[in-house]
Amino acid sequence: MNGYAGKFLWVNLTEASLREEIPSEGLLRDFIGGYGVGARMLYDRMPPGVDPLGPENILGVLTGPLTGTTAPTATRWTVVGKSPLTGGWGDANGSGYFGVALKKAGYDGLFFTGISECPVYLYLDNGTAELRDASALWGKDTYATEDWIKADLGEDVEGACIGPAGERLSRIAGIIHSKGRAAARSGLGAVMGSKRLKLIAARGELDFSVANKEAEKAARKKYMKEINDGVGASDFYRQTGTPGILTWTIHMGDVPVKNWAGNVTEFPDPDPLEFSELLKFRKKREACYRCGIACWGISSLSYDGTSIEAHQPEFQTSGAFGCLTMNNDYPSLIRANDLCNRYGLDTISAGACVAFAIECYQNGLISREDTGGIELDWGDHQAVNAFLMKIALREDFGDVVADGVKCAAEYLGSAAEPFAVHVGGQELPVHDPRFEPGLGLIYKMDATPGRHTQASQFTVPPGFETDRPAYGDQREQQAGRGHYLKEASVLTHTMNASGVCLFGYASTHVTFIPDYLSAVRGEEFMVEDMMVAGERIANIRQAFNVREGINPVIQQLPGRAYGSPPLEVGPTKGVRVEIDQMTQEYLLDMQWTPDAAIPTREKLEQLGLKDVADDLWGQEDDCE
Ligand code: SF4
């Protein structure tokens, strides 16, 4: 159990009962932690076909074996469950301080079932757990909830909570912590809301054992030096964080414009979105728990008569609320980010939903009457933020879009379908497949579709030998590109399951996680083991979706994001993503069936998943 707290907690919210479980060493060894362990647990404990917002859905919250160790950026925790947005496997990744507090409170994983009669919160304190009444917190935004935690439970307590959007079961709701860090994708904030679970609060000083402290110390020295020496993307993350690439990527055509239908030449001047402009509003630089990169910050400004002190927007948030809606006004983007965090919305999906609504309004599919009097126009940031509030509170047409663009397009009819840019129900991040076609494959084939981080944005860390083209390079050569997805995705799965931040992983050599896992767990773990564990995680996530009847091979894709038809102007003009070819290349490497992406029996058995093979393919005939 080195590296682990050694305990799971099951919380039956219908019965208000708690039960501890000791995880098996095999489970932790094979699936590492985080969504790896979460996927195996939910595959085993939840039948297919459950209502994502019903009592049978299991909401899991897990850390990894490196979470809270001395490993640089080891701050991560994961939420898992059946996604109400996609109807399939859902996970989302958080950082900040909560994951470390959860583990030091004595738990590697929490699993919530049932639905509470009244709002509750779970309080964890150094190995003890208690469900408490949260009626007084219900209706509060996430900042007020976090203020209450610090004032009433103590400064040393960390929390992860939902806001009014999650309470209202918005399918684009996330789980917020540290007043602006978020585990936001997959709509799992709605699952938490459906269970009437407002908050998880954790306090802890419990230690977990590390097998080889000398090796851990040596790894800390080695990999912090790499980060400080500028290995991989470390200079970028240390100097600017994600907003630092915004204008460059806009110019390169990596950021979609005007709800994916426009091109960069139509976008207003991107210069006001330079990082130096964001810095003008920065109050302080910030970091997650003991992180030496410190990639984020707090902005302070007045916008539209409102004083704001809030987490600065990340690249994705500014791209979604900026480029998709044709807005280059940074103060308004800081406000949009602030509103999403306060009300508990995924900024990627929320920005996409606002852009969708603008396009519907501009094409006469909705009117001023539907928007509650707001005139939605491209570039009108005040209208954008006003409509964002409609989504957060489920008012007027905001009530419809609060369940995502897929649901909204179904509500409006076929004329709205081209405006709804999603894969499998989840809105796309603002990295454009027409710039890096490999992303189109990730968006289509990951078990949580429409995610850019699930294959480290189609890159691998330094030191992993490969002849892959750099991100966005040689995109005219798409043949063969699908063969690079397996390695990027399985490495990313192990990284996520370990509890390490993607930015630390991209700022060190590929040996970082294996070296640390070896030191902490006390068993030799090599890069090759990282590949196998990641592949096992990929297969159990995919098996979950197969059981739910999801077939990504025949998934309908948004034409405008895949270059069908291609853009006629701009840096990505003429690019059409050869998605079918890349899909087959990836399926061949994964040993998943070419027509339905079902993991083959041979592959599952090779990974030690015979029981899953029997589920998907039926019991083998013993007589043969
Ligand atoms: S790199 Fe940034 S997001 Fe990652 S752990 Fe450090 S501060 Fe947090």
Side-chain angles (χ1 to χ4, degrees), residues 80-96:
V80 301
K82 185 172 177 181
S83 166
L85 199 55
T86 68
W89 175 250
D91 58 51
N93 193 308
S95 56

Side-chain angles (χ1 to χ4, degrees), residues 5 111 132 239 280 300 338 357-358 376 460 482 552:
F111 297 96
R132 295 180 174 178
Q239 288 164 12
K280 290 177 183 168
S300 177
D338 178 47
I358 296 174
L376 285 173
V460 288

Side-chain angles (χ1 to χ4, degrees), residues 411-433:
Y411 173 87
L412 290 173
S414 59
E417 269 173 25
F419 310 157
V421 181
H422 68 90
V423 175
Q426 182 144 253
E427 293 73 20
L428 295 191
V430 291
H431 284 300
D432 197 324

Side-chain angles (χ1 to χ4, degrees), residues 156-329:
D156 56 343
V157 178
E158 300 296 334
C161 64
I162 54 168
E167 292 175 10
R168 289 166 169 77
L169 311 185
S170 162
R171 290 169 199 255
I172 59 167
I175 297 164
I176 309 295
H177 53 107
S178 302
K179 287 192 175 177
R181 308 300 302 171
R185 304 245 65 197
S186 305
L188 296 174
V191 177
M192 196 160 159
S194 73
K195 297 190 174 303
R196 298 201 185 92
L197 177 66
K198 176 70 179 178
L199 159 74
I200 305 164
R203 167 194 274 131
E205 291 103 36
L206 298 179
D207 255 342
F208 45 89
S209 56
V210 169
N212 187 339
K213 292 217 173 200
E214 281 307 307
E216 187 198 27
K217 207 166 146 190
R220 168 79 187 176
K221 194 170 167 196
K222 176 179 177 184
Y223 293 108
M224 267 317 295
K225 183 171 183 320
E226 288 197 359
I227 288 172
N228 289 326
D229 285 351
V231 168
S234 56
D235 284 347
F236 158 62
Y237 288 121
R238 275 189 297 121
Q239 288 164 12
T240 68
T242 65
I245 54 165
L246 183 58
T247 50
W248 180 79
T249 49
I250 292 172
H251 286 297
M252 296 294 285
D254 184 28
V255 186
V257 165
K258 208 175 184 181
N259 197 27
W260 295 80
N263 68 79
V264 65
T265 65
E266 295 173 65
F267 189 68
D269 180 12
D271 286 354
L273 298 177
E274 280 289 350
F275 183 65
S276 54
E277 295 297 316
L278 182 59
L279 272 185
K280 290 177 183 168
F281 306 108
R282 181 179 273 191
K283 186 177 174 197
K284 57 180 173 177
R285 187 176 169 193
E286 277 282 11
C288 303
Y289 175 82
R290 293 188 187 168
C291 177
I293 290 182
C295 74
W296 49 284
I298 300 293
S299 301
S300 177
L301 76 163
S302 174
Y303 169 75
D304 220 12
T306 306
S307 292
I308 304 165
E309 186 168 315
H311 196 296
Q312 73 184 21
E314 299 287 350
F315 166 86
Q316 283 293 330
T317 309
S318 294
F321 280 96
C323 302
L324 291 185
T325 73
M326 304 291 277
N327 170 26
N328 64 358
D329 179 77

Side-chain angles (χ1 to χ4, degrees), residues 259-568:
N259 197 27
W260 295 80
N263 68 79
V264 65
T265 65
E266 295 173 65
F267 189 68
D269 180 12
D271 286 354
L273 298 177
E274 280 289 350
F275 183 65
S276 54
E277 295 297 316
L278 182 59
L279 272 185
K280 290 177 183 168
F281 306 108
R282 181 179 273 191
K283 186 177 174 197
K284 57 180 173 177
R285 187 176 169 193
E286 277 282 11
C288 303
Y289 175 82
R290 293 188 187 168
C291 177
I293 290 182
C295 74
W296 49 284
I298 300 293
S299 301
S300 177
L301 76 163
S302 174
Y303 169 75
D304 220 12
T306 306
S307 292
I308 304 165
E309 186 168 315
H311 196 296
Q312 73 184 21
E314 299 287 350
F315 166 86
Q316 283 293 330
T317 309
S318 294
F321 280 96
C323 302
L324 291 185
T325 73
M326 304 291 277
N327 170 26
N328 64 358
D329 179 77
Y330 238 138
S332 72
L333 300 180
I334 294 169
R335 179 58 169 162
N337 189 47
D338 178 47
L339 290 173
C340 286
N341 291 334
R342 270 181 192 277
Y343 286 83
L345 286 165
D346 173 12
T347 59
I348 296 175
S349 285
C353 285
V354 175
F356 167 85
I358 296 174
E359 195 164 2
C360 289
Y361 189 97
Q362 290 293 311
N363 285 276
L365 301 184
I366 57 173
S367 68
R368 203 171 155 154
E369 205 175 307
D370 299 308
T371 61
I374 301 168
E375 275 189 51
L376 285 173
D377 200 358
W378 301 113
D380 183 344
H381 55 81
Q382 278 153 331
V384 163
N385 281 330
F387 189 70
L388 176 58
M389 284 302 300
K390 297 282 183 189
I391 295 175
L393 297 173
R394 297 200 84 130
E395 293 173 352
D396 302 307
F397 187 64
D399 183 28
V400 178
V401 197
D403 285 329
V405 298
K406 178 173 180 272
C407 284
E410 283 165 4
Y411 173 87
L412 290 173
S414 59
E417 269 173 25
F419 310 157
V421 181
H422 68 90
V423 175
Q426 182 144 253
E427 293 73 20
L428 295 191
V430 291
H431 284 300
D432 197 324
R434 293 166 293 191
F435 179 74
E436 171 46 72
L439 278 170
L441 184 58
I442 299 170
Y443 294 165
K444 177 184 177 186
M445 294 307 298
D446 190 72
T448 54
R451 297 277 296 280
H452 62 297
T453 50
Q454 290 305 103
S456 187
Q457 293 164 28
F458 213 61
T459 61
V460 288
F464 187 85
E465 291 304 321
T466 179
D467 57 353
R468 62 175 45 231
Y471 181 77
D473 269 4
Q474 305 167 33
R475 56 178 170 267
E476 64 289 349
Q477 291 175 19
Q478 295 187 26
R481 228 174 176 89
H483 288 305
Y484 297 116
L485 181 59
K486 178 182 173 183
E487 59 194 27
S489 62
V490 300
L491 287 169
T492 301
H493 293 325
T494 303
M495 178 264 299
N496 279 329
S498 299
V500 167
C501 175
L502 171 61
F503 302 163
Y505 164 81
S507 302
T508 48
H509 279 89
V510 68
T511 47
F512 163 41
I513 288 168
D515 280 357
Y516 249 101
L517 281 175
S518 300
V520 169
R521 301 206 306 182
E523 291 170 1
E524 188 176 53
F525 193 87
M526 313 285 282
V527 172
E528 297 73 33
D529 301 315
M530 193 174 173
M531 300 289 290
V532 173
E535 193 172 3
R536 194 177 288 117
I537 293 168
N539 276 271
I540 196 74
R541 288 164 97 239
Q542 181 61 13
F544 184 98
N545 277 355
V546 170
R547 253 184 5 179
E548 296 291 342
I550 293 173
N551 181 356
V553 180
I554 56 169
Q555 186 91 262
Q556 208 181 340
L557 299 172
R560 49 174 74 171
Y562 284 77
S564 178
L567 289 172
E568 292 177 1

Side-chain angles (χ1 to χ4, degrees), residues 483 583-592:
H483 288 305
T583 300
Q584 290 308 316
E585 290 167 354
Y586 173 68
L587 291 171
L588 187 68
D589 292 351
M590 293 301 289
Q591 291 175 250
W592 294 355

